[in-house]
Amino acid sequence: MKIFVVNLKQAVDRKKHMEKQLGAMNLSYEFIEAVDGRELDDEALVERSNLGFYRQHPSWDTRGKGIIGCALSHQNIYKKIVKRKIPRVLILEDDIHITKDMPMLLRKINKMRNIEKNELILFLSLIHISEPTRLGM
C-alpha cells in the first residue's frame, strides 16, 4: 500500500518525526509538500477553493487559510493517485502519532478482497481502531 505523508516544507521537525515513526515500522512512504494556505492571496483562494464555504468553518478565525491549504494538499494527492493509478493509498498528516496497531491495520486492509472501484476505506480515530470501515462511494 502506498503511503503519502503531507508535510509543510518548513516543518522539518515534523518530517523527522514521521521518518522516525515510519522507519521504525519498516514502512515505505512518500512525502508530499503541503500547500501553505497562509501564502495564498485572496485571488488564489477564490480561484482554487469555495471560499464562502470555508469561511463558515468553526475554526476559520483561528486556522483560516490553513484549512484551505490542507484541503488543496489532499486534492493534489488525489490527483497523483488518479494519474499513477494507485489502487490503495494511506494519507497521513505529519503531526500524527502512529500506534503499534498500524501494521496490523495495513495488513487487514491489504487482505480485503472485492474492493469496488471508487470505494473508500476509512479508519480515523483519536483513541483506538480495531477494524477499518468500508464506505461505498
Side-chain angles (χ1 to χ4, degrees):
M1 176 180 309
K2 180 72 175 172
I3 299 175
F4 289 113
V5 181
V6 181
N7 174 254
L8 284 168
K9 181 173 44 177
Q10 66 271 23
V12 177
D13 289 345
R14 287 184 174 192
K15 185 174 185 178
K16 288 178 183 176
H17 166 74
M18 291 305 294
E19 289 171 336
K20 182 178 179 181
Q21 290 187 96
L22 294 167
M25 294 185 177
N26 203 29
L27 296 171
S28 60
Y29 51 90
E30 179 181 341
F31 280 102
I32 299 295
E33 186 176 325
V35 174
D36 191 340
R38 297 169 296 190
E39 294 179 2
L40 298 172
D41 60 23
D42 288 343
E43 184 178 321
L45 289 171
V46 170
E47 181 182 312
R48 298 184 67 188
S49 72
N50 182 344
L51 188 57
F53 171 80
Y54 286 108
R55 284 196 168 141
Q56 295 174 34
H57 193 281
S59 64
W60 176 260
D61 291 336
T62 56
R63 295 190 58 220
K65 293 179 177 181
I67 296 168
I68 295 174
C70 182
L72 292 173
S73 299
H74 282 258
Q75 188 178 69
N76 290 341
I77 293 172
Y78 305 149
K79 290 176 182 177
K80 284 183 185 289
I81 292 167
V82 171
K83 184 177 180 179
R84 297 183 193 174
K85 299 179 181 175
I86 304 171
R88 294 179 187 214
V89 175
L90 174 64
I91 302 171
L92 302 173
E93 297 292 328
D94 64 0
D95 60 349
I96 67 164
H97 174 72
I98 299 174
T99 68
K100 63 182 179 356
D101 296 333
M102 178 66 78
M104 176 268 303
L105 287 167
L106 294 175
R107 283 192 301 275
K108 285 185 177 189
I109 291 171
N110 280 325
K111 286 181 182 177
M112 288 181 167
R113 300 287 182 244
N114 302 321
I115 295 177
E116 299 294 325
K117 185 175 184 181
N118 298 325
E119 185 174 23
L120 172 67
I121 305 297
L122 178 67
F123 57 101
L124 301 172
S125 175
L126 295 175
I127 302 169
H128 177 75
I129 307 163
S130 58
E131 295 292 329
T133 302
R134 297 172 79 141
L135 301 174
M137 299 285 287

